[in-house]
Amino acid sequence: MINVSVIGATGYAGAEIVRLLVNHPHVNITCLTSKQYSGMNYSDVYPSMRGVVDIKCQEFEPDIIAEKSDIIFLALPHKLSMETAKSLFKYKKKIIDLSADFRFKNALTYESVYDRHLAPELLEHSTYGLSEVFFNNISKAQIIGNPGCYPTSVLLALIPLIKEKLIHSETIIIDSKSGVSGAGRELSLPTHFCEANEGFKAYKVAEHRHIPEIEEYLSDAAEKPIHVTFVPHLVPMNRGILSTIYADLTDHGRAKTIRECLLSFYESKKFVRICSESILPNTSYVKATNYCDIGFKVEARKSRLILITAIDNLVKGAAGQAIQNMNIMTGIEETTGIDNCPFSV
Amino acid sequence: MINVSVIGATGYAGAEIVRLLVNHPHVNITCLTSKQYSGMNYSDVYPSMRGVVDIKCQEFEPDIIAEKSDIIFLALPHKLSMETAKSLFKYKKKIIDLSADFRFKNALTYESVYDRHLAPELLEHSTYGLSEVFFNNISKAQIIGNPGCYPTSVLLALIPLIKEKLIHSETIIIDSKSGVSGAGRELSLPTHFCEANEGFKAYKVAEHRHIPEIEEYLSDAAEKPIHVTFVPHLVPMNRGILSTIYADLTDHGRAKTIRECLLSFYESKKFVRICSESILPNTSYVKATNYCDIGFKVEARKSRLILITAIDNLVKGAAGQAIQNMNIMTGIEETTGIDNCPFSV
Amino acid sequence: MINVSVIGATGYAGAEIVRLLVNHPHVNITCLTSKQYSGMNYSDVYPSMRGVVDIKCQEFEPDIIAEKSDIIFLALPHKLSMETAKSLFKYKKKIIDLSADFRFKNALTYESVYDRHLAPELLEHSTYGLSEVFFNNISKAQIIGNPGCYPTSVLLALIPLIKEKLIHSETIIIDSKSGVSGAGRELSLPTHFCEANEGFKAYKVAEHRHIPEIEEYLSDAAEKPIHVTFVPHLVPMNRGILSTIYADLTDHGRAKTIRECLLSFYESKKFVRICSESILPNTSYVKATNYCDIGFKVEARKSRLILITAIDNLVKGAAGQAIQNMNIMTGIEETTGIDNCPFSV
Amino acid sequence: MINVSVIGATGYAGAEIVRLLVNHPHVNITCLTSKQYSGMNYSDVYPSMRGVVDIKCQEFEPDIIAEKSDIIFLALPHKLSMETAKSLFKYKKKIIDLSADFRFKNALTYESVYDRHLAPELLEHSTYGLSEVFFNNISKAQIIGNPGCYPTSVLLALIPLIKEKLIHSETIIIDSKSGVSGAGRELSLPTHFCEANEGFKAYKVAEHRHIPEIEEYLSDAAEKPIHVTFVPHLVPMNRGILSTIYADLTDHGRAKTIRECLLSFYESKKFVRICSESILPNTSYVKATNYCDIGFKVEARKSRLILITAIDNLVKGAAGQAIQNMNIMTGIEETTGIDNCPFSV
């Protein structure tokens, strides 16, 4: 059994890690920390958990956590995450960080949209946790920078096509739509029920912090700088991200080669499903699962590719991929504990 | 491994059985039948299931089904269910019927609100599948009349109290609220998105078909006839039933005795959770789980008990309890395959 | 033209008053006050209002407000409301208060569930603003205690029946369900989108502050003390209250007499619609209107009446009734400005 | 008073026309027709309308309708619409058709995506009813081809910019998102509550019938053929369309010129609101109103314009614009009857 702690266990991402860990056959949850709710029973914070997770939330103390854990998940706001990682690093435990703090190879990129980086010396020990793409790096890393929800929904579709040069990388436009849980459990007017319900809007148009993350890994794949247009929107539902991605095809890019490229890239990867022509992704098809569904259509008259991807922002876009990474890091079969059956309704 | 078939696998109840069976460690799904979709791949009917359930839907043929199954779930409209059960009975396979056809001991009660009963001779081989209450009968029966969703949410709370004579049985008023999936996948104007969304209404006021089912098992517990007032309502959400139940307390009925009675009755029963005073049931706490949460409040100045129960109508109210019954019938640990962790969001 | 100010114009009730005043042909909005947003343009607080209400929100200053207003709406939290009313009273302007501060004749009743009453001397100048029932008092009062949303949905149905002694007043049970806007615009975890969406729960079971308000006016009608059981629930939708009310019929109470009593009581009242037998109230039928729909069913075998009422909590349950009261107080036709056509979808 | 009939009054678009006509001060509703519900009272089809619209639905008979109407709205499926218009034309009454049948100048364009055109001889008497853009034509036409919902949300933003050559017309990508009422009241699996709720998907990717309509009027404005990429999506809410439109700027296109162009084009047009920089459109800001909100952002590093528009698909995208056109055709102030105040919640 793997001993696991979750630091910041009472936000939505942390709680989703807890949920999935409970379902994981090889895991023993040892510590759950919470600043806001320390001292309270976890099931008083989340009454759905009565009789299931009756652990008491505690304050974060690095030596106690390190002693009791083989794997430590950080589900904290950025900045606090790297401080926490720093305090844990010396204990040589594996850390999976869901914030943005370890997603960038270069601290400067991080600092261009977030804060000053407080632990640049740890970056060489960390790797980007896009599970299907960076499996080998993940299996050897001590720290995982777990990908953002939007980047996951975008990169899984684009990286294979960019590597094969099937699309003109300067023409990429990404129109993403996210359920409200992406904004977390912290109270705010835009996520107040009556403000979000029965409405639809764009936000942070072409200035969302996930843009550099998307660009970093697309540029890597292209071996040249790529700039994308990215517009996120808020959907009145709890879970799910659908990204509609537009790009002009190169001469090699045709429906057949697109499909072959994607099928081949994800051949042995259970969690990425390439949709047949007759099916388009829908966030409800992947709700509460670790799947990323990818569909596409070629608009022949304009030589334009339209890619559509769907994930559950809390699972493949956060906690599920984090556990997938834990599985990879510990040598367990990648799908363990996160291969539950999708919902029909 | 238990070989299992689902007859009527493409309605919401059938699809939920399929979902839970996929998660069940001791089950092998052998046949899925569907009148409407026979010949189609199950994952073309429910695209969420691609790569998970790629079985072809077939027509129902009793000998083939019987040959390939140890357990047969019927997720059919009433009437068709008993015809199907009749055609399968001779093969001596265990049948779990989710319709109303085998819920009543007396065919006349059934006929008072449904149709003429076409298989009264099977009633002596069947038992009512309220798992926590009728465990022993279930473990020995060949046919299970799986309880209705509303009755499950009502009976689990009331039967213990009535047995202990803690409430005046003639004063029971049940105000239930159900998510829209309770109405099934068949198209209708009231379940058209724009008609159900952002609205709330009562329906079938004091004339719902679940009333005799509720009354039958309450009367049994009381050893005298009980009549209840029952009003169901439609909530703009997919899943969940919350029942608010009002009854006058007898002299023995006090907060303490109510709690003791419920705790004692469900002492070893994992799926019934008696809420502490500080927590009230919420359908979201039991979403996609087999739990029934029961909370209550005594209104002292009126000597009135207010019970509140929450279940997921498709799980504890249908497919989950059906699989719980399968576990009981096959001697497997009762919670197997349906003990997934609840959601936080 | 009537000059009107709204004190506390940026909460949901205040904003709904503003919306309806804009549609009112005889009103001139002179001042909108807001503590939180003073100095901001109203349409920056509510961007839906750009080009429609471009008034600057101001701090409350009694003499300025009094000078510029014939009618003053108070859409404030209780306590702050009576302080504000006190500061305005001497100017002899008509005040319509949407808080609980002027709903009770007797300050002691108020103090039993709210705070110490700070302006008991004003109570003799105030009256309860249930428009259809207290038309005459309203037309002469200087201060209106505008009814609560739940009480409105309950009293309109029960007062006529209690006056006619058609129900046993000691048997009343009220099961109410409200959309989330009833909780206001202030942030809270239960009204955070992901917490309220796709869930249903009861709250403040038998201890909601609206109970004494309901009991006060039922007792008045009965000319004896009445105690009710009242359980409110939260529905995942923006607007609407549906109340399901149970009571035992007296010997006079039969379907026919119930209908006749209600029809006769509301004969000339446009906003109360008694449903025919074939129709049950639905909150979506009254959305954004000032209607109160009342339907009912007699359960003969138990001599029990089941009343169902539907209102829009922000309109008939708050701002709409407030404007109806303004119309009555100013001698305008009662329905002016609030007789917009209901929605079909 | 204008005598008005609505042919096909019981679908969502027809019902929205009825709702707005009731609120219109200069209109007398004379006939409502419905194939499905003829003989029934309108308020039995839409119980929200009890006491408001108690007209009996009738079969369509051209001579009766013509005799009783000055203006006739057709809210019918395409094809049936042109047959109906044909039968009414000789009576010289003004016709406002909400189907696609009179939206194209050239029958061949229509036939490329719809059916064979059955009344090409009427096309010279018809004009496209995009009210703000084609005011003069509308004021003189006998037949109005009322714009589609998606085209309205797209054309109002793009036509001014294309006329001024501020964007490269070959780079236009339109990513639209619609509420479910856009699919009408006819039952279908994708609009079944549980299938649409809590999910988000694209549909008819780059093959929606509104594409030729968008391209026709953009090409007109550009005086050269324009092809666009258009992808519609379904949002789990009742009303609203948000379109996010991407296009590369020409050398003239800068934030300042974009704003000036839009402000100047819509200077005297109340229903088109150009958002200031600090505000982004949201469908909830225009719910149940005839507004079209237009916001935008220039992404300088890519010389790309991102336009965002929001309308209510049933109002500005259908019934509201139809009534705006009626006002224009009859010489009434354009905003009459459709200038209700927007909602705050």
Side-chain angles (χ1 to χ4, degrees):
Chain A
M1 295 296 277
I2 312 163
N3 289 318
V4 175
S5 291
V6 183
I7 311 308
T10 56
Y12 285 153
E16 189 74 354
I17 296 172
V18 172
R19 177 179 80 84
L20 293 170
L21 290 176
V22 169
N23 288 333
H24 197 294
H26 306 325
V27 160
N28 183 27
I29 302 178
T30 49
C31 301
L32 302 178
T33 83
S34 169
K35 219 168 198 167
Q36 193 178 353
Y37 299 108
S38 82
M40 276 179 71
N41 199 312
Y42 194 72
S43 63
D44 286 331
V45 183
Y46 284 109
S48 63
M49 295 294 188
R50 278 160 300 132
V52 183
V53 181
D54 288 314
I55 299 171
K56 189 171 278 191
C57 297
Q58 56 189 80
E59 292 273 1
F60 172 70
E61 291 177 79
D63 48 349
I64 293 178
I65 295 299
E67 194 194 317
K68 296 199 175 170
S69 320
D70 304 311
I71 296 269
I72 301 160
F73 289 93
L74 308 184
L76 299 167
H78 74 268
K79 198 175 173 197
L80 184 54
S81 236
M82 52 193 166
E83 290 170 354
T84 306
K86 216 169 166 172
S87 74
L88 287 167
F89 182 69
K90 60 178 171 202
Y91 299 99
K92 310 276 184 199
K93 298 305 166 74
K94 288 182 186 294
I95 295 169
I96 300 171
D97 175 30
L98 278 80
S99 87
D101 291 353
F102 296 99
R103 291 181 191 159
F104 297 91
K105 284 167 199 149
N106 190 326
L108 292 177
T109 321
Y110 176 86
E111 294 180 347
S112 71
V113 283
Y114 293 92
D115 277 302
R116 193 160 69 79
H117 206 291
L118 305 174
E121 71 281 8
L122 297 190
L123 290 178
E124 60 178 301
H125 302 281
S126 72
T127 201
Y128 189 61
L130 192 65
S131 313
E132 280 75 11
V133 178
F134 301 111
F135 185 97
N136 288 336
N137 294 346
I138 294 164
S139 68
K140 292 175 287 193
Q142 191 188 339
I143 302 178
I144 300 296
N146 209 60
C149 50
Y150 286 124
T152 297
S153 80
V154 169
L155 295 172
L156 287 173
L158 284 178
I159 285 176
L161 306 180
I162 280 177
K163 278 179 184 277
E164 296 277 329
K165 303 193 195 316
L166 300 181
I167 55 175
H168 286 295
S169 57
E170 70 279 14
T171 64
I172 298 170
I173 290 174
I174 303 155
D175 190 291
S176 290
K177 301 87 177 173
S178 175
V180 182
S181 64
R185 205 186 197 204
E186 211 173 319
L187 304 184
S188 72
L189 195 56
T191 57
H192 194 52
F193 183 84
C194 297
E195 305 282 322
N197 187 40
E198 289 295 292
F200 187 90
K201 65 164 187 175
Y203 68 100
K204 293 187 189 160
V205 174
E207 57 186 39
H208 194 283
R209 281 169 168 177
H210 283 169
I211 294 172
E213 184 182 337
I214 292 169
E215 292 181 344
E216 169 126 337
Y217 293 97
L218 291 185
S219 301
D220 259 22
E223 299 176 338
K224 65 176 180 183
I226 289 185
H227 295 294
V228 301
T229 294
F230 174 69
V231 180
H233 302 75
L234 194 66
V235 189
M237 62 182 184
N238 280 7
R239 288 164 173 259
I241 285 179
L242 192 110
S243 288
T244 312
I245 307 169
Y246 303 87
D248 290 353
L249 291 166
T250 60
D251 291 347
H252 310 295
R254 281 177 302 274
K256 189 159 170 292
T257 48
I258 297 290
R259 180 170 305 282
E260 280 166 3
C261 168
L262 292 169
L263 284 173
S264 150
F265 196 93
Y266 293 112
E267 198 173 6
S268 60
K269 299 297 182 184
K270 186 183 166 175
F271 289 131
V272 178
R273 299 191 294 193
I274 312 305
C275 297
S276 69
E277 270 176 63
S278 59
I279 285 173
L280 287 168
N282 185 326
T283 61
S284 69
Y285 298 162
V286 298
K287 185 159 47 181
T289 77
N290 202 47
Y291 288 105
C292 174
D293 281 358
I294 303 178
F296 69 90
K297 169 126 193 194
V298 167
E299 193 181 21
R301 64 176 189 161
K302 299 188 77 72
S303 283
R304 188 166 281 155
L305 174 66
I306 303 162
L307 282 160
I308 298 166
T309 71
I311 61 168
D312 183 314
N313 58 304
L314 290 178
V315 188
K316 186 61 181 169
Q321 186 154 247
I323 286 172
Q324 188 178 0
N325 288 331
M326 177 193 79
N327 290 341
I328 295 170
M329 294 166 96
T330 55
I332 299 176
E333 157 59 30
E334 194 174 345
T335 60
T336 310
I338 44 176
D339 57 350
N340 57 295
C341 184
F343 285 88
S344 306
V345 63
Chain B
M1 297 294 278
I2 312 164
N3 290 317
V4 175
S5 291
V6 183
I7 311 308
T10 57
Y12 285 153
E16 190 73 354
I17 296 173
V18 172
R19 178 178 81 83
L20 293 170
L21 291 176
V22 169
N23 289 334
H24 197 293
H26 305 325
V27 160
N28 182 29
I29 302 178
T30 50
C31 302
L32 301 178
T33 82
S34 169
K35 219 167 198 168
Q36 193 179 352
Y37 298 108
S38 83
M40 276 179 71
N41 199 312
Y42 194 72
S43 64
D44 287 331
V45 182
Y46 283 110
S48 63
M49 295 294 188
R50 279 161 300 130
V52 183
V53 181
D54 289 314
I55 298 172
K56 189 170 279 191
C57 297
Q58 57 190 79
E59 293 273 359
F60 172 69
E61 292 176 79
D63 49 349
I64 294 178
I65 295 301
E67 194 196 316
K68 296 198 174 170
S69 320
D70 304 313
I71 296 270
I72 301 161
F73 289 94
L74 308 184
L76 299 167
H78 75 269
K79 198 177 174 196
L80 184 54
S81 236
M82 51 192 165
E83 289 169 353
T84 305
K86 215 170 167 172
S87 73
L88 286 167
F89 183 69
K90 61 178 171 204
Y91 299 100
K92 311 274 183 199
K93 299 304 167 76
K94 287 180 187 293
I95 294 169
I96 299 170
D97 176 31
L98 278 79
S99 86
D101 292 353
F102 297 98
R103 292 180 190 158
F104 297 90
K105 284 167 200 150
N106 190 327
L108 291 178
T109 321
Y110 176 86
E111 294 180 348
S112 72
V113 282
Y114 294 92
D115 278 302
R116 193 161 70 79
H117 206 292
L118 306 175
E121 71 281 9
L122 298 189
L123 292 177
E124 61 178 300
H125 302 279
S126 72
T127 201
Y128 189 62
L130 192 65
S131 314
E132 280 76 10
V133 179
F134 301 111
F135 184 96
N136 288 336
N137 294 346
I138 293 164
S139 68
K140 291 176 287 195
Q142 190 187 340
I143 302 178
I144 300 296
N146 210 61
C149 49
Y150 286 123
T152 297
S153 80
V154 169
L155 295 173
L156 288 173
L158 284 178
I159 284 175
L161 307 180
I162 280 178
K163 277 178 184 279
E164 295 278 329
K165 303 195 196 312
L166 300 180
I167 54 177
H168 286 295
S169 58
E170 70 279 15
T171 64
I172 298 170
I173 290 174
I174 303 156
D175 191 290
S176 290
K177 302 87 175 173
S178 173
V180 182
S181 64
R185 206 187 196 202
E186 211 173 319
L187 305 183
S188 72
L189 195 56
T191 57
H192 193 53
F193 183 84
C194 297
E195 306 282 321
N197 187 40
E198 291 292 292
F200 187 89
K201 64 165 187 175
Y203 67 101
K204 292 187 189 161
V205 174
E207 56 186 38
H208 194 283
R209 282 171 167 174
H210 283 169
I211 295 171
E213 185 181 337
I214 292 168
E215 293 180 345
E216 169 126 338
Y217 294 96
L218 291 185
S219 300
D220 260 23
E223 298 176 338
K224 64 175 180 183
I226 289 185
H227 295 293
V228 301
T229 294
F230 174 70
V231 180
H233 302 74
L234 194 66
V235 188
M237 62 182 183
N238 282 5
R239 286 165 175 259
I241 286 178
L242 192 110
S243 288
T244 312
I245 306 168
Y246 304 87
D248 289 353
L249 291 165
T250 60
D251 291 347
H252 310 294
R254 280 176 303 273
K256 188 160 171 289
T257 47
I258 297 289
R259 180 171 306 283
E260 281 165 4
C261 168
L262 290 170
L263 284 173
S264 150
F265 196 92
Y266 293 113
E267 197 174 7
S268 60
K269 299 297 181 183
K270 184 182 170 177
F271 290 131
V272 178
R273 301 191 294 194
I274 311 305
C275 297
S276 69
E277 268 177 66
S278 61
I279 286 174
L280 286 168
N282 184 326
T283 62
S284 70
Y285 298 162
V286 297
K287 186 160 47 182
T289 78
N290 201 48
Y291 288 106
C292 173
D293 281 359
I294 304 177
F296 70 91
K297 170 127 194 192
V298 168
E299 194 180 21
R301 64 176 186 160
K302 299 187 78 71
S303 283
R304 188 167 282 156
L305 174 66
I306 304 163
L307 282 160
I308 299 167
T309 71
I311 61 168
D312 183 314
N313 59 304
L314 290 178
V315 187
K316 187 59 179 168
Q321 185 154 250
I323 286 172
Q324 187 177 0
N325 288 331
M326 178 194 78
N327 290 341
I328 296 170
M329 294 166 97
T330 55
I332 300 175
E333 157 60 31
E334 194 173 343
T335 60
T336 311
I338 44 177
D339 57 351
N340 56 295
C341 183
F343 285 88
S344 307
V345 62
Chain C
M1 296 296 278
I2 312 163
N3 290 317
V4 175
S5 291
V6 183
I7 311 308
T10 57
Y12 285 153
E16 190 73 355
I17 296 172
V18 172
R19 178 179 79 83
L20 293 170
L21 290 176
V22 169
N23 290 332
H24 197 294
H26 305 326
V27 160
N28 182 29
I29 302 178
T30 49
C31 302
L32 301 178
T33 83
S34 168
K35 218 168 199 169
Q36 191 179 355
Y37 299 108
S38 83
M40 276 178 70
N41 198 312
Y42 194 72
S43 64
D44 287 330
V45 183
Y46 284 109
S48 62
M49 294 294 189
R50 278 161 298 132
V52 183
V53 181
D54 290 314
I55 298 171
K56 189 171 279 192
C57 297
Q58 58 191 78
E59 293 273 0
F60 172 70
E61 292 176 78
D63 49 348
I64 294 177
I65 295 300
E67 193 195 318
K68 295 198 174 169
S69 320
D70 303 312
I71 297 269
I72 301 161
F73 289 94
L74 308 184
L76 299 167
H78 74 269
K79 195 175 176 198
L80 184 55
S81 236
M82 52 193 165
E83 290 171 351
T84 306
K86 214 167 168 173
S87 74
L88 286 167
F89 183 71
K90 60 179 171 203
Y91 298 100
K92 311 272 184 201
K93 299 304 168 75
K94 288 180 186 293
I95 295 169
I96 300 170
D97 175 30
L98 277 79
S99 86
D101 292 354
F102 297 99
R103 292 181 190 158
F104 298 90
K105 283 167 202 149
N106 190 326
L108 292 177
T109 320
Y110 175 87
E111 294 181 348
S112 72
V113 283
Y114 294 92
D115 278 301
R116 194 161 67 81
H117 206 291
L118 306 174
E121 72 280 9
L122 298 190
L123 290 178
E124 61 178 300
H125 303 279
S126 72
T127 201
Y128 189 62
L130 191 65
S131 313
E132 279 77 9
V133 179
F134 301 111
F135 185 97
N136 288 336
N137 294 347
I138 294 164
S139 68
K140 291 175 287 195
Q142 192 188 337
I143 303 177
I144 300 295
N146 210 61
C149 50
Y150 287 124
T152 297
S153 79
V154 170
L155 295 172
L156 287 174
L158 284 178
I159 284 175
L161 306 180
I162 280 178
K163 278 179 183 279
E164 295 279 330
K165 303 194 194 315
L166 300 180
I167 55 176
H168 286 295
S169 58
E170 70 277 15
T171 64
I172 299 170
I173 291 174
I174 303 156
D175 190 292
S176 290
K177 301 89 176 173
S178 174
V180 182
S181 64
R185 205 188 196 203
E186 210 174 317
L187 304 184
S188 73
L189 195 56
T191 58
H192 194 52
F193 183 84
C194 297
E195 307 282 323
N197 187 41
E198 291 293 294
F200 187 90
K201 65 165 187 175
Y203 67 101
K204 293 185 187 161
V205 174
E207 56 186 39
H208 193 283
R209 281 171 169 174
H210 283 168
I211 294 171
E213 185 181 336
I214 292 169
E215 292 180 344
E216 168 124 341
Y217 294 97
L218 291 186
S219 300
D220 259 22
E223 297 176 338
K224 65 173 181 186
I226 290 186
H227 295 293
V228 301
T229 294
F230 173 69
V231 180
H233 302 74
L234 194 66
V235 188
M237 63 182 185
N238 281 6
R239 287 164 175 259
I241 287 179
L242 192 110
S243 289
T244 312
I245 306 167
Y246 303 87
D248 290 352
L249 290 166
T250 60
D251 291 347
H252 311 295
R254 281 177 302 272
K256 187 158 173 290
T257 48
I258 297 289
R259 179 169 307 281
E260 279 166 4
C261 168
L262 291 169
L263 283 173
S264 149
F265 195 93
Y266 293 113
E267 196 174 6
S268 62
K269 299 298 182 181
K270 184 182 167 178
F271 289 131
V272 178
R273 300 191 293 194
I274 312 305
C275 296
S276 69
E277 270 176 62
S278 61
I279 286 174
L280 287 169
N282 184 327
T283 61
S284 69
Y285 298 162
V286 297
K287 186 159 48 182
T289 78
N290 202 48
Y291 288 105
C292 174
D293 281 358
I294 304 177
F296 69 90
K297 170 125 192 192
V298 169
E299 192 181 23
R301 64 176 187 160
K302 298 188 78 70
S303 283
R304 187 167 281 156
L305 173 67
I306 303 162
L307 282 160
I308 299 167
T309 71
I311 61 169
D312 183 314
N313 59 304
L314 290 178
V315 188
K316 186 60 178 169
Q321 186 154 249
I323 287 173
Q324 187 178 1
N325 288 332
M326 176 193 79
N327 290 340
I328 295 170
M329 293 165 96
T330 55
I332 300 174
E333 157 59 31
E334 195 174 343
T335 61
T336 310
I338 44 176
D339 58 351
N340 56 295
C341 183
F343 285 88
S344 307
V345 63
Chain D
M1 295 295 277
I2 311 163
N3 289 318
V4 175
S5 291
V6 183
I7 313 306
T10 56
Y12 285 153
E16 189 73 354
I17 296 172
V18 171
R19 177 178 80 84
L20 293 169
L21 291 176
V22 168
N23 289 333
H24 197 293
H26 305 327
V27 159
N28 182 28
I29 302 178
T30 50
C31 302
L32 301 178
T33 83
S34 169
K35 219 168 198 170
Q36 193 179 354
Y37 298 107
S38 83
M40 277 178 69
N41 198 312
Y42 194 72
S43 64
D44 286 331
V45 183
Y46 284 108
S48 62
M49 295 294 189
R50 279 161 299 131
V52 183
V53 181
D54 289 314
I55 298 172
K56 188 171 282 193
C57 298
Q58 57 190 80
E59 293 273 0
F60 172 69
E61 291 176 78
D63 49 349
I64 295 177
I65 295 300
E67 194 195 316
K68 296 198 174 168
S69 321
D70 303 313
I71 296 269
I72 301 161
F73 289 93
L74 308 185
L76 298 167
H78 74 269
K79 196 174 174 199
L80 183 55
S81 235
M82 52 193 165
E83 289 170 353
T84 306
K86 215 168 167 173
S87 74
L88 287 166
F89 184 69
K90 61 180 171 203
Y91 298 100
K92 310 275 184 200
K93 297 305 166 73
K94 288 181 188 290
I95 295 169
I96 299 171
D97 176 30
L98 278 79
S99 86
D101 292 354
F102 296 99
R103 291 180 191 160
F104 297 90
K105 284 166 199 147
N106 189 327
L108 291 177
T109 319
Y110 176 86
E111 294 180 348
S112 72
V113 283
Y114 293 91
D115 278 301
R116 193 159 70 79
H117 205 291
L118 305 175
E121 71 280 9
L122 298 189
L123 292 178
E124 62 178 298
H125 301 280
S126 73
T127 201
Y128 189 62
L130 191 65
S131 313
E132 281 77 9
V133 179
F134 302 111
F135 185 97
N136 288 337
N137 294 346
I138 293 163
S139 69
K140 291 174 289 195
Q142 191 188 339
I143 303 177
I144 299 296
N146 210 61
C149 49
Y150 286 123
T152 297
S153 80
V154 170
L155 295 172
L156 287 172
L158 284 179
I159 284 175
L161 307 180
I162 279 177
K163 277 178 184 279
E164 295 278 329
K165 303 194 193 317
L166 299 180
I167 54 176
H168 287 294
S169 58
E170 70 278 14
T171 63
I172 298 169
I173 289 174
I174 303 155
D175 191 292
S176 290
K177 301 88 176 174
S178 174
V180 182
S181 64
R185 205 186 196 206
E186 210 174 318
L187 305 183
S188 73
L189 195 56
T191 57
H192 194 53
F193 183 84
C194 297
E195 306 282 322
N197 187 40
E198 290 293 294
F200 187 89
K201 64 165 187 175
Y203 68 100
K204 292 186 189 161
V205 174
E207 56 185 40
H208 193 284
R209 280 170 169 175
H210 283 168
I211 295 173
E213 185 180 337
I214 292 168
E215 291 181 345
E216 169 126 340
Y217 294 97
L218 292 185
S219 301
D220 258 23
E223 298 176 339
K224 64 175 180 184
I226 289 185
H227 295 293
V228 301
T229 294
F230 174 69
V231 180
H233 302 73
L234 194 66
V235 188
M237 61 182 186
N238 281 7
R239 287 164 174 259
I241 285 179
L242 191 109
S243 289
T244 312
I245 306 169
Y246 303 87
D248 290 353
L249 290 166
T250 60
D251 291 347
H252 311 294
R254 281 175 302 273
K256 186 159 173 289
T257 48
I258 297 290
R259 180 169 307 282
E260 281 166 2
C261 167
L262 290 170
L263 284 173
S264 147
F265 196 93
Y266 293 113
E267 197 173 7
S268 61
K269 299 298 182 182
K270 184 182 168 178
F271 290 131
V272 179
R273 301 192 293 194
I274 312 305
C275 297
S276 70
E277 270 176 64
S278 61
I279 286 174
L280 287 169
N282 185 326
T283 61
S284 69
Y285 298 161
V286 297
K287 186 159 48 183
T289 77
N290 202 47
Y291 288 105
C292 173
D293 280 359
I294 303 177
F296 69 91
K297 168 125 193 194
V298 168
E299 193 182 23
R301 64 175 188 162
K302 300 187 76 74
S303 281
R304 188 167 281 156
L305 173 67
I306 303 162
L307 282 160
I308 298 167
T309 71
I311 61 169
D312 183 314
N313 59 304
L314 290 179
V315 187
K316 186 59 179 170
Q321 185 155 248
I323 287 173
Q324 187 177 2
N325 288 331
M326 177 193 80
N327 290 341
I328 295 170
M329 293 165 97
T330 55
I332 300 174
E333 157 59 31
E334 194 173 344
T335 61
T336 311
I338 44 176
D339 58 351
N340 56 295
C341 183
F343 285 88
S344 307
V345 63

